[in-house]
Amino acid sequence: MPFLVDGNNFCGAARDRRLGLPSDEPSMIGALSDFAARRETWLTVVFDGPAGERRGAGRAGRAGRLRIVHSGSGRIADDLIVEMASRAGAPGDIT
């Protein structure tokens, strides 16, 4: 089952140390990539804004089974995630 993750929301949740999530973007991308590999599934993480505003790992387009997408200028990740889910062949199969 493929996963869609809002990268900005994930980073925000990571601020709560009790969750044990990586708090920096490169570590987060590594953790999500590892998760997808362990589950033998695909995961897409979507960040707000254009790729040019990202640094480091957040600019990469792929990391193993993880695809990194940016919403572009004037658009938020939430809107792109809704669009991606609606275009999927079986939107109910996306988590």
Side-chain angles (χ1 to χ4, degrees), residues 2-82:
F3 290 82
L4 276 172
V5 175
D6 184 313
N8 297 88
N9 288 351
F10 189 99
C11 287
R15 291 187 194 111
D16 184 344
R17 294 287 184 195
R18 296 171 295 173
L19 297 176
L21 298 171
S23 58
D24 63 284
E25 199 169 287
S27 296
M28 177 201 67
I29 288 172
L32 290 174
S33 180
D34 290 346
F35 172 84
R38 282 192 313 274
R39 291 275 185 119
E40 295 182 357
T41 191
W42 294 95
L43 192 149
T44 299
V45 61
V46 183
F47 289 104
D48 293 325
E53 294 178 1
R54 311 284 329 160
R55 293 182 309 278
R59 291 195 70 179
R62 187 166 298 282
R65 291 176 157 268
L66 174 69
R67 183 171 67 130
I68 302 162
V69 177
H70 302 87
S71 63
S73 295
R75 187 176 192 187
I76 60 173
D78 303 55
D79 294 339
L80 182 55
I81 289 169
V82 168

